[in-house]
């Protein structure tokens, strides 16, 4: 580089007038100063040290560098090196305060055909020292969030890529990145535990048992709860490895570990799972619930059926009954989608026939039943195109018959109610248990009608499906009904309307069970002391700290003075306390709107119903599905992949839990909007 090239990086010295001359050419002609470009002047200042001699001083470490002597200018390259190469000790000490990194120069040792072209930096992109610790932290987050293998840091391709970006980056080992991932998990867990400490209500847990190729079980435990702002949350709490997943104590051991880990003693309201369990196993679980009577509502606070798994099992019945026609339609779709020319001909025929369908053909994923339903539904709407396709494409000889299409439409009529109900579980609004009282009841009634069909195919398929929905209804209908009672649009009225259509003359008995159960549960909440969550305790302490008058009356009203009086009031006013529930039930129903924020309503009415609102908060947090939203439509059991099965159980838990927390931690979870149409 020539001296004039270096001059291109010269800056206006702070404090000097823009009218002064920066340099003088041999002809002594003034040259206008260029507008400041180089970013080094964010780190350096220019000072006159003697006549005609100026030096550049680092703002951080105060070290000085040659800048100009007379007409000779040293340029800025050596100043850039001081900042970019990390030799400034003061800058290194504060490097953790900025997330940006250097753009490093070309290194011929790293390979590559040509050095990069010169890049000009704008004033908005300063030089920032390289931070090894922050890079390690971000790599751990990347591995967690995208489920990359921990060994990726030892892969030659990854090492070459990272060092091409930053040659100063030190290679990481498997053990190092494993420790970084666990450290990230522990940091996130600490934040979540602080958040949970202030939760005023109880917790509901779902248990999803995964298998592995080592015959080990992994229990995914997810917590569901409503916070002090009446928002519903769903977090993966633990992933517990169980060496004997079929034992009586497998689930109870995992839950006990979760309760101890998160300090949930006395706060567990309900359990939802879908793992076959003996009566002995159930007896191990019941004592873990916080309700005094674990057999309340016929013991249905232990929800032994996951609605997602029940609907997937019913969908498998439908797909099994129509497997031959499904294969025919799948082959036809495959023929169209296998080549661009076939697809173009299909679209050409569709346009000529003016078929109004907006659906597009696609091949299904046979491990997810919703994709098979969507494939059948789309193909059925386009059946006219398939029927005429052979006239435009003589090679197509797979067209299903009219009877085949009729059967496909029958299959879709069975799958659509299941698909619509299951799709609710995949939304981000975290639907409450209220929704599924109506959805399950509707499916149950529809199947009852189909059983009476004169078509043996429809009748037999409906019978097979109804056996499974009957079992779910028997195990879960009472707790679903209890949630409906907590909806001010329905209360007991929807229960009284729905049960006769299923139970006929036995309906009054089941209606009474719901009414008795909800009154019994309410009495438990009446007897509970006011919860002193950290948030509430701080408010109380803050109020007390403002009072300086410790009079006789203050001592009289303390906990030590009138504890027995509180018991007396509770006993003598028990009838009055119970009337809070009766008053709620006797009031008229709210107008039925399609979208209704039931948690928001209870938030607004918690002063009117102080005890009942606490019970409603816990009931409305009961989950109906133990499956994760992305697994709702799976028809195969979940299995931990071979790589993760090879990791330590603690590492598996850290990776899975931290991913869930990082994914949802930065976004607010909205209240559940219960959608229901009649």
């Amino acid at each position: 580089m020539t001296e004039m090239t270096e001059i291109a990086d010269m800056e206006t010295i702070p404090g000097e007038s823009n009218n002064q001359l920066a340099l003088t050419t041999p002809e002594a002609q003034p040259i206008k100063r260029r507008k400041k470009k180089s970013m080094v002047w964010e780190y350096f200042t220019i000072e006159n040290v003697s006549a005609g001699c100026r030096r550049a001083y680092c703002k951080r470490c105060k070290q000085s560098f040659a800048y100009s002597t007379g007409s000779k200018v040293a340029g800025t390259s050596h100043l850039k090196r001081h900042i970019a190469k990390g030799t400034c000790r003061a800058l290194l000490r504060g490097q953790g305060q900025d997330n940006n990194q250097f753009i490093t120069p070309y290194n011929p040792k790293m390979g590559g055909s040509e050095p990069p072209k010169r890049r000009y930096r704008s004033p908005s992109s300063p030089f920032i020292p390289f931070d090894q610790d922050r890079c390690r932290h971000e790599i751990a987050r990347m591995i967690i969030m995208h489920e990359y293998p921990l060994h990726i840091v030892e892969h030659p391709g990854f090492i070459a890529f990272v060092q091409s970006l930053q040659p100063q980056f030190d290679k990481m080992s498997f053990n190092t990145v494993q420790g970084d991932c666990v450290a990230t998990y522990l940091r996130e867990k600490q934040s979540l535990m602080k958040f949970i400490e202030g939760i005023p209500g109880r917790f509901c847990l779902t248990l999803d048992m995964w298998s592995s190729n080592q015959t080990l079980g992994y229990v995914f435990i997810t917590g569901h709860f409503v916070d002090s702002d009446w928002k519903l949350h769903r977090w993966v709490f633990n992933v517990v490895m169980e060496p004997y997943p079929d034992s009586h104590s497998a689930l109870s051991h995992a839950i006990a570990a979760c309760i101890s880990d998160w300090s949930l003693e006395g706060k567990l309201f309900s359990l939802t799972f879908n793992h076959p369990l003996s009566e002995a196993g159930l007896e191990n679980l019941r004592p873990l619930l916080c309700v005094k009577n674990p057999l309340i509502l016929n013991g249905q606070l232990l929800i032994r059926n996951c609605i997602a798994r029940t609907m997937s099992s019913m969908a498998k019945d439908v797909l099994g009954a129509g497997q031959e026609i499904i294969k025919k339609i799948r082959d036809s779709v495959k023929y169209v989608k296998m080549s661009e020319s076939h697809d173009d001909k299909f679209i050409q025929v569709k346009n000529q026939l003016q078929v109004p369908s907006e659906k597009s053909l696609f091949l299904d994923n046979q491990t997810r039943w919703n994709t098979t339903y969507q494939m059948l539904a789309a193909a059925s709407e386009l059946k006219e195109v398939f029927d005429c396709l052979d006239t435009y494409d003589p090679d197509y000889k797979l067209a299903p018959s009219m009877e085949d299409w009729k059967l496909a439409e029958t299959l879709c009529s069975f799958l659509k109610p299941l698909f619509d109900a299951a799709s609710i579980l995949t939304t981000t609004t975290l639907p409450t248990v209220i929704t599924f009282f109506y959805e399950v009841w509707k499916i149950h009634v529809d199947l009852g009608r189909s059983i009476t069909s004169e078509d043996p195919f429809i009748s037999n398929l409906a019978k097979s499906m109804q056996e499974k929905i009957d079992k779910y209804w028997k195990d879960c209908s009472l707790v679903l009904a209890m949630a409906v009672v907590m909806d001010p649009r329905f209360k007991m009225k929807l229960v009284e309307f729905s049960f006769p259509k299923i139970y006929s003359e036995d309906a009054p008995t089941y209606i009474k069970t719901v009414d008795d159960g909800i009154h019994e549960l309410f009495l438990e909440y009446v007897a509970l002391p006011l919860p002193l969550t950290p948030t509430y305790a701080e408010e109380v302490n803050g109020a007390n700290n403002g009072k300086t008058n410790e009079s006789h009356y203050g001592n009289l009203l303390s906990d030590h003075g009138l504890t027995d009086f509180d018991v007396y009031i509770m006993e003598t006013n028990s009838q009055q306390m119970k009337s809070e529930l009766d008053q709620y039930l006797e009031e008229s129903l709210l107008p039925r709107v399609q979208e209704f924020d039931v948690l928001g309503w209870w938030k607004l009415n918690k002063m009117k119903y102080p005890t009942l609102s606490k019970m409603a908060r816990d009931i409305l947090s009961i989950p109906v599905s133990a499956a994760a939203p992305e697994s709702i439509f799976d028809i195969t059991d979940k299995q931990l992949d071979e790589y993760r099965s090879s990791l330590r159980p603690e590492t598996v838990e850290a990776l899975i839990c931290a991913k869930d927390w990082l994914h949802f931690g930065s976004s607010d979870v909205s209240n559940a909007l219960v959608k229901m149409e009649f």
Side-chain angles (χ1 to χ4, degrees):
M1 299 288 291
T2 65
E3 182 176 318
M4 292 305 295
T5 304
E6 294 285 1
I7 293 176
D9 272 343
M10 287 190 60
E11 318 298 334
T12 302
I13 302 171
E16 290 190 5
S17 169
N18 290 335
N19 296 326
Q20 290 179 306
L21 297 180
L23 294 173
T24 304
T25 63
E27 292 78 16
Q29 295 297 324
I31 300 176
K32 292 184 179 180
R33 294 187 180 277
R34 289 174 178 244
K35 189 176 180 180
K36 180 176 174 180
K37 288 183 180 178
S38 178
M39 299 313 303
V40 299
W41 303 117
E42 293 189 11
Y43 299 91
F44 288 89
T45 58
I46 302 299
E47 297 183 14
N48 294 319
V49 295
S50 62
C53 179
R54 295 181 295 175
R55 294 185 67 82
Y57 286 83
C58 177
K59 294 180 180 180
R60 304 295 179 90
C61 66
K62 307 305 180 183
Q63 184 176 349
S64 68
F65 297 85
Y67 182 65
S68 66
T69 303
S71 62
K72 185 177 181 181
V73 180
T76 59
S77 297
H78 61 308
L79 306 182
K80 292 178 182 177
R81 286 194 294 270
H82 176 69
I83 301 298
K85 295 300 182 180
T87 57
C88 178
R89 298 182 181 275
L91 197 58
L92 283 174
R93 286 195 295 268
Q95 64 186 2
Q97 300 173 0
D98 202 305
N99 300 342
N100 297 320
Q101 298 175 355
F102 279 118
I103 302 176
T104 55
Y106 171 72
N107 186 346
K109 296 182 180 179
M110 298 302 299
S113 56
E114 295 180 359
K117 295 180 179 179
R118 180 174 180 179
R119 291 164 288 185
Y120 293 90
R121 299 178 177 87
S122 66
S124 61
S125 57
F127 289 103
I128 303 298
F130 168 66
D131 188 345
Q132 174 78 16
D133 291 338
R134 178 157 186 85
C135 285
R136 285 176 49 181
H137 173 68
E138 292 300 333
I139 287 175
R141 286 174 59 93
M142 176 192 74
I143 289 174
I144 290 170
M145 294 177 68
H146 303 291
E147 298 185 8
Y148 296 137
L150 298 177
H151 286 87
I152 190 175
V153 296
E154 297 178 345
H155 294 172
F158 177 82
I159 295 173
F161 170 71
V162 172
Q163 291 192 344
S164 70
L165 298 177
Q166 177 50 263
Q168 297 182 61
F169 180 76
D170 294 334
K171 295 180 182 179
M172 297 175 63
S173 67
F174 167 84
N175 290 334
T176 300
V177 76
Q178 179 177 238
D180 290 346
C181 289
V182 172
T184 300
Y185 157 77
L186 293 175
R187 282 193 299 269
E188 296 296 327
K189 183 176 182 179
Q190 185 178 14
S191 299
L192 184 55
M193 290 188 78
K194 290 181 180 178
F195 177 70
I196 285 177
E197 287 176 0
I199 298 302
R202 296 171 172 177
F203 294 78
C204 301
L205 299 182
T206 57
L207 314 175
D208 194 13
M209 179 73 80
W210 289 36
S211 61
S212 70
N213 57 3
Q214 300 170 335
T215 69
L216 300 174
Y218 290 84
V219 185
F220 284 60
I221 304 178
T222 304
H224 304 253
F225 56 92
V226 175
D227 65 16
S228 56
D229 197 34
W230 292 82
K231 293 183 179 180
L232 193 59
H233 294 264
R234 174 190 179 278
W235 301 91
V236 178
F237 278 172
N238 294 94
V239 178
V240 182
M241 190 272 285
E242 288 295 334
Y244 305 102
D246 297 324
S247 67
H248 300 322
S249 60
L251 294 186
S252 59
H253 172 266
I255 296 169
C258 175
I259 291 175
S260 174
D261 195 17
W262 294 92
S263 301
L264 301 181
E265 292 83 358
K267 298 180 182 179
L268 182 57
F269 186 64
S270 78
L271 291 171
T272 303
F273 54 95
N274 196 46
H275 184 66
L277 208 58
S278 64
E279 190 61 33
L282 291 174
E283 291 303 320
N284 289 335
L285 293 179
R286 287 195 178 99
L288 299 175
L289 299 179
C290 61
V291 292
K292 293 181 179 179
N293 178 13
L295 296 178
I296 192 173
L297 294 168
N298 292 347
Q300 288 193 11
L301 289 177
L302 286 181
I303 304 175
R304 289 174 281 179
N305 266 321
C306 162
I307 186 60
R309 295 292 174 256
T310 299
M311 290 190 293
S312 292
S313 179
M314 295 167 66
K316 285 176 67 175
D317 289 345
V318 178
L319 300 182
Q323 58 182 347
E324 293 183 5
I325 177 57
I326 292 174
K327 184 179 184 306
K328 287 184 180 180
I329 293 177
R330 183 182 292 119
D331 288 343
S332 291
V333 174
K334 189 184 299 183
Y335 177 86
V336 172
K337 305 303 292 185
M338 68 179 292
S339 72
E340 188 174 347
S341 61
H342 293 173
D343 200 12
D344 291 341
K345 288 180 181 178
F346 187 87
I347 295 174
Q348 180 184 355
V349 176
K350 176 188 174 183
N351 293 336
Q352 290 187 0
L353 295 176
Q354 297 182 350
V355 178
S357 175
E358 297 295 329
K359 293 184 178 178
S360 300
L361 292 178
F362 68 93
L363 279 173
D364 62 330
N365 175 356
Q366 297 183 47
T367 65
R368 296 175 59 83
W369 64 267
N370 63 313
T371 62
T372 304
Y373 161 69
Q374 291 169 318
M375 179 187 72
L376 291 177
S380 295
E381 288 192 10
L382 297 167
K383 61 183 178 181
E384 297 176 15
V385 184
F386 282 105
D387 291 340
C388 299
L389 185 60
D390 57 349
T391 60
Y392 292 83
D393 187 353
D395 294 333
Y396 175 68
K397 305 181 185 301
L398 303 171
S401 65
M402 292 303 296
E403 287 298 319
D404 292 335
W405 288 119
K406 182 179 178 182
L407 182 58
E409 291 172 356
T410 299
L411 298 177
C412 288
S413 68
F414 278 106
L415 290 172
K416 187 178 188 306
L418 301 178
F419 174 78
D420 292 341
S423 296
I424 299 173
L425 295 171
T426 64
T427 62
T428 57
T429 53
L430 296 173
T432 65
V433 67
I434 297 173
T435 310
F436 279 87
F437 177 87
Y438 175 69
E439 294 293 336
V440 174
W441 173 78
K442 183 173 63 174
I443 292 172
H444 195 289
V445 172
D446 289 346
L447 290 175
R449 296 194 190 103
S450 299
I451 288 176
T452 62
S453 172
E454 296 180 357
D455 187 331
F457 177 83
I458 294 177
S459 178
N460 292 334
L461 180 55
K463 287 178 182 178
S464 173
M465 297 174 68
Q466 192 177 51
E467 288 179 3
K468 296 178 178 179
I469 202 68
D470 268 342
K471 185 179 185 308
Y472 181 84
W473 184 262
K474 178 182 177 182
D475 292 342
C476 306
S477 60
L478 298 182
V479 74
L480 296 180
M482 182 173 63
V484 167
V485 176
M486 293 293 100
D487 190 326
R489 298 172 299 166
F490 305 112
K491 302 182 181 179
M492 284 295 297
K493 297 300 182 182
L494 184 56
V495 177
E496 295 165 357
F497 167 79
S498 305
F499 276 20
K501 297 182 181 297
I502 294 179
Y503 295 116
S504 301
E505 64 275 5
D506 294 330
T509 301
Y510 289 95
I511 293 173
K512 186 176 185 303
T513 301
V514 174
D515 188 69
D516 291 346
I518 206 158
H519 277 83
E520 180 183 353
L521 185 60
F522 177 71
L523 289 179
E524 285 198 19
Y525 280 81
V526 170
L528 289 176
L530 287 175
L532 277 182
T533 61
T535 302
Y536 180 81
E538 288 175 7
E539 293 176 357
V540 173
N541 292 336
N544 290 339
N545 291 337
K547 298 179 180 180
T548 58
N549 182 17
E550 297 182 357
S551 64
H552 167 74
Y553 296 103
N555 294 329
L556 178 64
L557 296 178
S558 67
D559 290 340
H560 300 288
L562 292 174
T563 302
D564 293 340
F565 176 73
D566 293 336
V567 175
Y568 169 76
I569 290 296
M570 185 183 300
E571 292 175 350
T572 56
N573 291 346
S574 60
Q575 186 63 38
Q576 179 181 354
M577 294 297 291
K578 286 190 290 186
S579 67
E580 186 180 316
L581 172 60
D582 295 331
Q583 177 186 350
Y584 165 78
L585 294 175
E586 290 170 3
E587 289 181 350
S588 59
L589 302 180
L590 292 184
R592 192 173 68 250
V593 294
Q594 184 174 352
E595 292 190 358
F596 178 69
D597 185 356
V598 63
L599 289 174
W601 186 88
W602 280 106
K603 178 183 179 181
L604 294 175
N605 289 272
K606 64 182 179 181
M607 299 302 293
K608 182 178 180 181
Y609 303 111
T611 301
L612 187 60
S613 63
K614 297 171 188 174
M615 186 174 81
R617 177 182 55 210
D618 295 338
I619 292 174
L620 296 176
S621 65
I622 295 176
V624 294
S625 173
E630 64 272 12
S631 304
I632 295 298
F633 297 104
D634 289 353
I635 57 178
T636 57
D637 293 335
K638 300 297 292 184
Q639 184 174 13
L640 206 66
D641 61 75
E642 183 176 356
Y643 179 78
R644 289 199 169 184
S645 298
S646 67
L647 301 175
R648 295 186 308 171
E650 298 82 0
T651 304
V652 173
E653 180 178 53
L655 293 173
I656 293 173
C657 292
K659 179 187 177 183
D660 181 73
W661 303 340
L662 291 173
H663 179 69
F664 292 105
S666 59
S667 60
D668 293 328
V669 182
S670 61
N671 284 355
L673 296 180
V674 181
K675 298 183 179 180
M676 204 176 293
E677 295 180 356
F678 289 84

